[in-house]
């Protein structure tokens, strides 16, 4: 065993976190690697319906980024799909390429279905959606999504 040098899965994920944090603070707080169970609570009827392996996954799953209001209320969570290059649409994960993880589709769809059940905004984005829209501007498609949700919630 050894101490992990970072909580991020890649240098790109770390750089994106820093960029988003600097852009959205202090209006929103950004957190990395939040447990799914902190965002969505299992109720006793739901617990009984889950198979043991699904419950274990639910309790061990994390999301890459979570935007919260300053008081800690979650606004939006984001899964960055650098490996599969996929995205989500209407609570469904759509992969762009095959990945080494044969369960990747299932894992992302599980998270999306859980979020859909409680109407919590969770999206999967490809790295391309974090690229700058214009050389002169630093805004991305992800910023547009955050801004749109922020304007609806405020």
């Amino acid at each position: 065993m050894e101490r992990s040098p970072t909580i991020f899965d890649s240098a790109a994920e770390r750089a994106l976190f820093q960029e988003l944090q600097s852009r959205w603070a202090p209006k929103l707080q950004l957190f990395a690697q939040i447990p799914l169970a902190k965002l969505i609570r299992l109720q006793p009827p739901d617990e009984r319906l889950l198979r043991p392996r699904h419950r274990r996954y639910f309790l061990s799953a994390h999301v890459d980024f979570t935007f919260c209001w300053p008081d800690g209320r979650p606004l939006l969570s984001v899964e960055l799909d650098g490996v599969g290059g996929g995205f989500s649409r209407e609570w469904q994960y759509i992969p762009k390429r095959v990945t080494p993880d044969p369960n990747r589709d299932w894992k992302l769809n599980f998270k999306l279905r859980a979020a859909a059940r409680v109407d919590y905004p969770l999206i999967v984005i490809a790295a391309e959606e974090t690229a700058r829209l214009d050389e002169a501007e630093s805004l991305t498609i992800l910023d547009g999504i955050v801004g749109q949700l922020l304007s609806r919630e405020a």
Side-chain angles (χ1 to χ4, degrees), residues 64-142:
D64 292 330
F65 304 130
T66 299
F67 291 91
C68 290
W69 295 103
D71 65 3
R73 287 178 296 130
L75 173 71
L76 165 74
S77 291
V78 178
E79 283 285 336
L80 179 61
D81 188 22
V83 176
F87 57 94
S88 59
R89 182 185 308 137
E90 298 177 5
W91 307 106
Q92 180 72 33
Y93 171 62
I94 301 163
K96 196 171 183 180
R97 53 187 170 263
V98 177
T99 68
D101 181 358
N103 297 315
R104 184 157 184 83
D105 292 12
W106 181 87
K107 291 174 185 176
L108 289 171
N109 279 313
F110 182 94
K111 293 176 187 181
L112 289 165
R113 282 191 309 272
R117 285 190 67 151
V118 297
D119 199 30
Y120 176 70
L122 169 65
I123 60 170
V124 179
I125 61 168
E128 293 80 16
E129 293 169 300
T130 65
R132 293 179 177 170
L133 294 172
D134 185 326
E135 289 296 321
E137 298 289 327
S138 62
L139 294 177
T140 67
I141 291 172
L142 178 55

Side-chain angles (χ1 to χ4, degrees), residues 7-100:
I7 61 170
F8 300 104
D9 292 329
S10 67
E13 189 177 296
R14 180 181 42 78
L16 177 60
F17 178 86
Q18 291 170 331
E19 187 175 324
L20 290 170
Q21 186 176 42
S22 69
R23 183 171 302 117
W24 290 102
K27 182 83 171 170
L28 297 173
Q29 294 180 328
L30 184 63
F31 297 93
Q33 302 299 330
I34 294 286
L36 186 61
K38 289 286 185 188
L39 302 167
I40 301 168
R41 291 188 181 160
L42 278 180
Q43 299 298 318
D46 300 318
E47 285 188 82
R48 288 190 295 272
L49 294 174
L50 285 177
R51 294 180 180 158
R53 66 186 174 102
H54 294 165
R55 186 174 189 283
R56 279 192 306 275
Y57 179 72
F58 177 84
L59 294 173
S60 68
H62 290 72
V63 294
D64 292 330
F65 304 130
T66 299
F67 291 91
C68 290
W69 295 103
D71 65 3
R73 287 178 296 130
L75 173 71
L76 165 74
S77 291
V78 178
E79 283 285 336
L80 179 61
D81 188 22
V83 176
F87 57 94
S88 59
R89 182 185 308 137
E90 298 177 5
W91 307 106
Q92 180 72 33
Y93 171 62
I94 301 163
K96 196 171 183 180
R97 53 187 170 263
V98 177
T99 68

